[in-house]
Amino acid sequence: MREKPLRPHLRKSAGLNASLPSGAAREAVEALGRRIVAGIWPPGATIPIEPELAQVLGVSRATVRDAVKVLSGKGLLRTARRYGTRVRPLEEWHLLDPDVAAWHGPAHPRIGRMFAETTELRCAIEPAAAALAAQRATPEQVRTLLAAAEALRPGEVDIVALFEADRRFHCTILDATDNLMMRQLQGIITTILRISYEFGVQKVDGRPVSREGHFLVAEAVARGDAAGARREMERMLDLNRAIAEAYWRNRAMAENPAGAAGGGWPGV
Amino acid sequence: MREKPLRPHLRKSAGLNASLPSGAAREAVEALGRRIVAGIWPPGATIPIEPELAQVLGVSRATVRDAVKVLSGKGLLRTARRYGTRVRPLEEWHLLDPDVAAWHGPAHPRIGRMFAETTELRCAIEPAAAALAAQRATPEQVRTLLAAAEALRPGEVDIVALFEADRRFHCTILDATDNLMMRQLQGIITTILRISYEFGVQKVDGRPVSREGHFLVAEAVARGDAAGARREMERMLDLNRAIAEAYWRNRAMAENPAGAAGGGWPGV
DNA sequence: ACCTTCTTTACGTCTGATCTGAAGCGGGCA
DNA sequence: TGCCCGCTTCAGATCAGACGTAAAGAAGGT
């Protein structure tokens, strides 16, 4: 068993978690995962037995078992002899897992709650990350931050480019903390950002995103001003939160004029 | 397929992530996971082929594949046809996963770094969580917090009881945020806390843990004082950080008097 | 009503075969 | 020489079928 030099053979992973490279198993995971998250089988319910799933998904029982194992690893399922395979309660789902988060489609009843809670998490993490980044960012990371802020043009029509710049900005902040734990949160932030852009949340007040806010953070990081970076990031996220709150309130009102929509924005 | 009423059949999960309930597969995951984390096979290296692993671990190839699949889900491995199964770079490991964190034994070269980075994460998360908890904690959660602070007796000799009280305090704070994303972090905080206690980090200055600090936080939460809860939690974690920093510096000096130990406390 | 078997069930594990995609080699051509 | 193309090889991916095993639920005795 000689060690081979590591040579990346998957230059462009599609952006998502590439834990299952191949086809059939990956598709089985996706299919089952989406159904579970969609609530086809509510938490606590027993899903069909393995042979039945194999038939429905058109794969062998071994592949079904692989998929179930992956989903168990994400906290969605629990298996036991004679009990079948059951959907675990929502509290145990690994919601920080990008896959699990992404399986919540735009129309999902809980998407409002997901967004609200992620925003709270970001309000806790990102200011601290910005402060650390101000102390540790490399010159290249500073350049990336400034370039990403520059690319957030208010009149930009290319929504994908906007998203990409936004994503790169926030991921670079987390990268620059040089803290592997903080970097783990890049996935969930990217996913939630993507969902936001798919929704158009970022444009609720007419302006796409806060270009100034991003610049103020980037400049504070560039001059090593930890307190300033933290403060500007806080300010930016407060704005973000206000925007999101207004958006979701409107959406809830439109769907359910009587009051708060079920599973929508919680009473924060 | 009738839905069965949910009836918890595993009242007491042993505290760890119970994704693999059974024996052989769980053991295979543990065995492989520990070896990978221990660095038997460095990142980028190809681990032995499946039949060989099956022989070494004393299980069938199917079970090995199950284990590999679980570890791929935790970001430790990547498999591909003809490439074999390789250890992924450290940056891609899911370090927030309690299992992955716990596989870093007390003597692991990276344990100092793990501890430092987790502390930074806690300094970001827990003050914000305390503020949210002050707004949302139920009376029962408040009682739990006060009881846990009460149990942190300076003269307590039962280290397990101390750990349990400390753990319950911090997990209850996260619970009280009523934020599922924040609750995801209970696992990693519990794991790191456990490692701290196993090391004796909490006693480096003669006193076990800051009982007063916990009480001040609990009382602020009890009276709904979000700003106060945040402030006291920050103060407590600063103390925690100072203690840990001193401990790790001493440990690094003891092991490598010439300077910073490899992989120990990074230049923060 | 309670406890003790006993049966049933569906996941857990094993065996062994076949399929597939990518690396590496070698031949052919400009 | 140097590049392109197809063949072989390899190791994971998938499949098929069988048996093991623990726990739920029924059956029976006290």
Side-chain angles (χ1 to χ4, degrees):
Chain A
M1 183 194 63
R2 262 185 335 289
E3 291 176 20
K4 294 176 167 183
L6 176 63
R7 195 172 337 162
H9 58 285
L10 259 175
R11 275 114 3 200
K12 35 171 94 169
S13 67
L16 270 184
N17 184 348
S19 60
L20 281 312
S22 141
R26 173 100 195 144
E27 283 175 25
V29 170
E30 285 263 338
L32 280 181
R34 286 192 184 278
R35 288 180 211 202
I36 293 167
V37 170
I40 304 292
W41 305 294
T46 304
I47 75 175
I49 62 177
E50 291 176 352
E52 195 172 333
L53 287 176
Q55 191 185 340
V56 171
L57 298 176
V59 295
S60 74
R61 188 182 156 223
T63 303
V64 169
R65 283 184 55 76
D66 279 353
V68 167
K69 194 135 303 200
V70 171
L71 294 172
S72 298
K74 294 181 186 297
L76 297 184
L77 294 175
R78 161 166 290 173
T79 66
R81 286 185 176 93
R82 169 65 174 141
Y83 278 90
T85 304
R86 294 189 184 182
V87 179
R88 291 168 85 171
L90 180 60
E91 298 81 43
E92 298 180 27
W93 294 8
H94 294 190
L95 294 174
L96 295 181
D97 182 301
D99 288 332
V100 176
W103 290 333
H104 289 76
H108 195 285
R110 269 196 309 275
I111 194 68
R113 179 176 180 187
M114 292 274 296
F115 197 87
E117 301 194 347
T118 311
T119 301
E120 284 180 0
L121 185 70
R122 292 182 62 190
C123 287
I125 289 289
E126 297 205 54
L132 291 175
Q135 298 168 359
R136 303 176 190 166
T138 66
E140 187 183 342
Q141 285 167 335
V142 170
R143 280 196 299 276
T144 301
L145 287 176
L146 290 169
E150 170 67 31
L152 288 171
R153 296 190 190 83
E156 181 62 75
V157 290
D158 184 352
I159 199 73
V160 174
L162 265 183
F163 160 70
E164 176 54 25
D166 209 349
R167 184 202 64 77
R168 183 157 44 224
F169 183 90
H170 292 280
C171 286
T172 301
I173 288 285
L174 290 173
D175 250 337
T177 63
D178 196 28
N179 180 315
L180 294 178
M181 300 276 184
M182 296 233 177
R183 283 186 190 157
Q184 302 285 310
L185 300 168
Q186 289 181 128
I188 183 62
I189 289 180
T190 296
T191 300
I192 288 296
L193 219 48
R194 187 198 319 278
I195 296 178
S196 304
Y197 273 90
E198 285 172 358
F199 264 146
V201 168
Q202 305 289 335
K203 294 200 296 182
V204 75
D205 64 343
R207 296 180 313 165
V209 284
S210 167
R211 190 178 191 230
E212 298 165 41
H214 284 79
F215 254 123
L216 289 173
V217 173
E219 284 163 357
V221 170
R223 66 175 183 270
D225 176 6
R230 179 192 298 271
R231 183 175 4 98
E232 295 303 333
M233 182 66 95
E234 274 173 356
R235 198 169 295 173
M236 210 170 76
L237 286 171
D238 272 348
L239 179 62
N240 191 307
R241 175 159 54 187
I243 292 175
E245 209 163 326
Y247 181 91
W248 288 105
R249 187 154 25 226
N250 291 342
R251 185 163 182 269
M253 295 260 299
E255 288 178 353
N256 181 3
W265 193 262
V268 180
Chain B
M1 182 198 62
R2 265 184 334 290
E3 291 175 20
K4 294 177 169 183
L6 175 63
R7 195 170 339 161
H9 57 284
L10 259 175
R11 279 125 346 212
K12 35 172 93 169
S13 68
L16 268 185
N17 185 349
S19 60
L20 281 312
S22 141
R26 173 101 196 146
E27 283 175 25
V29 170
E30 285 262 338
L32 280 181
R34 286 191 185 279
R35 289 182 208 202
I36 293 167
V37 170
I40 305 292
W41 306 294
T46 303
I47 74 175
I49 62 176
E50 292 177 352
E52 196 171 333
L53 286 176
Q55 189 186 342
V56 171
L57 298 175
V59 296
S60 74
R61 187 171 160 240
T63 302
V64 169
R65 284 183 56 73
D66 279 352
V68 166
K69 194 133 302 198
V70 170
L71 295 173
S72 298
K74 294 181 186 298
L76 297 184
L77 294 175
R78 162 166 289 174
T79 65
R81 286 185 179 92
R82 170 64 182 168
Y83 277 91
T85 303
R86 295 187 182 182
V87 179
R88 292 169 84 172
L90 179 60
E91 298 81 44
E92 298 179 27
W93 293 9
H94 294 190
L95 294 174
L96 294 181
D97 182 301
D99 287 332
V100 176
W103 289 333
H104 288 77
H108 194 287
R110 270 197 307 277
I111 194 67
R113 178 174 181 189
M114 292 274 296
F115 196 86
E117 301 194 346
T118 310
T119 300
E120 284 180 1
L121 185 70
R122 292 182 62 189
C123 288
I125 289 289
E126 296 206 55
L132 291 174
Q135 297 168 359
R136 302 177 189 165
T138 66
E140 188 183 341
Q141 285 166 336
V142 170
R143 279 196 300 276
T144 301
L145 287 176
L146 290 169
E150 170 66 31
L152 288 171
R153 296 192 189 81
E156 180 64 74
V157 289
D158 184 351
I159 199 72
V160 174
L162 266 182
F163 160 70
E164 177 54 25
D166 209 349
R167 184 203 65 76
R168 184 158 44 223
F169 183 91
H170 292 280
C171 286
T172 302
I173 288 282
L174 291 173
D175 249 339
T177 62
D178 197 29
N179 180 316
L180 294 178
M181 301 276 184
M182 295 230 175
R183 283 185 189 159
Q184 303 285 310
L185 300 168
Q186 287 181 127
I188 183 62
I189 289 180
T190 295
T191 300
I192 288 297
L193 218 48
R194 188 198 318 278
I195 295 177
S196 303
Y197 273 88
E198 284 172 359
F199 264 147
V201 168
Q202 306 289 332
K203 294 200 295 183
V204 75
D205 64 342
R207 297 181 312 164
V209 285
S210 168
R211 190 178 189 227
E212 300 165 41
H214 285 79
F215 254 124
L216 290 172
V217 173
E219 284 163 357
V221 170
R223 65 176 184 267
D225 176 6
R230 179 192 300 272
R231 182 173 6 95
E232 294 304 332
M233 182 66 94
E234 273 172 357
R235 199 168 295 172
M236 210 170 75
L237 287 171
D238 271 348
L239 179 61
N240 191 309
R241 176 159 53 189
I243 292 175
E245 208 162 329
Y247 181 90
W248 289 105
R249 187 154 27 226
N250 289 343
R251 186 163 181 268
M253 295 258 301
E255 286 178 354
N256 181 4
W265 193 262
V268 181

